[in-house]
Amino acid sequence: GSGGFRKRKHDNFPHGQRREEKENVNPPSALMKSFKSFQLELDTRHDKYERLVKLSRDITIESKRTIFLLHRFTSAPNGEEILSESEVKLDAVRQKIKQVAQELIGEDMYQFHRAISPG
């Protein structure tokens, strides 16, 4: 007829049944534990990848700054000062490279190759 109520597909099921089905799901099941461990492993790997990307960017930036500083060496009157400043910058680059090496201890370097190759 001309009534306003329209029957939906889920109206065939008793209303309480869905709630009971959700309560019967056992969260500490072996499958859920496996997925939690996979999630933790992937999150850890992603965090390490992001740290390596940041270190690589820092290495690139500091290396460029050092190169530009050394380009001024021939035209600047204070050559010794420029050389000592560039040595300090290169020490910072060396420290970052050591940090990259420490992050990669016990890891397959090829999994993180794209993160560190620019630096």
Side-chain angles (χ1 to χ4, degrees):
S2 63
F5 185 79
R6 190 170 156 198
K7 192 170 182 176
R8 295 179 300 250
K9 289 180 184 178
H10 69 271
D11 285 341
N12 291 335
F13 297 105
H15 292 293
Q17 184 177 352
R18 287 182 170 204
R19 207 172 287 126
E20 290 171 12
E21 287 174 3
K22 288 180 183 177
E23 290 173 4
N24 287 337
V25 173
N26 190 6
S29 70
L31 184 63
M32 291 300 287
K33 287 179 184 177
S34 294
F35 275 112
K36 287 289 183 187
S37 69
F38 294 147
Q39 178 185 10
L40 180 63
E41 182 180 339
L42 288 173
D43 287 345
T44 303
R45 188 171 306 270
H46 178 63
D47 292 344
K48 181 177 288 232
Y49 190 90
E50 290 300 317
R51 284 192 306 271
L52 288 169
V53 167
K54 181 174 182 342
L55 284 169
S56 178
R57 286 182 184 152
D58 291 346
I59 289 170
T60 302
I61 290 169
E62 286 302 315
S63 298
K64 285 182 178 182
R65 288 180 182 161
T66 306
I67 290 168
F68 293 140
L69 182 65
L70 290 173
H71 279 253
R72 291 185 288 175
F73 176 72
T74 55
S75 62
N78 53 352
E80 289 299 320
E81 186 179 315
I82 288 178
L83 287 177
S84 65
E85 188 179 342
S86 66
E87 189 62 38
V88 170
K89 288 185 179 293
L90 284 176
D91 282 339
V93 170
R94 288 183 194 106
Q95 289 300 318
K96 299 259 186 228
I97 291 171
K98 285 180 185 176
Q99 289 176 352
V100 169
Q102 289 171 347
E103 287 279 350
L104 292 175
I105 292 174
E107 295 287 345
D108 181 13
M109 188 185 96
Y110 296 106
Q111 289 183 351
F112 299 101
H113 178 71
R114 290 184 61 168
I116 60 174
S117 62

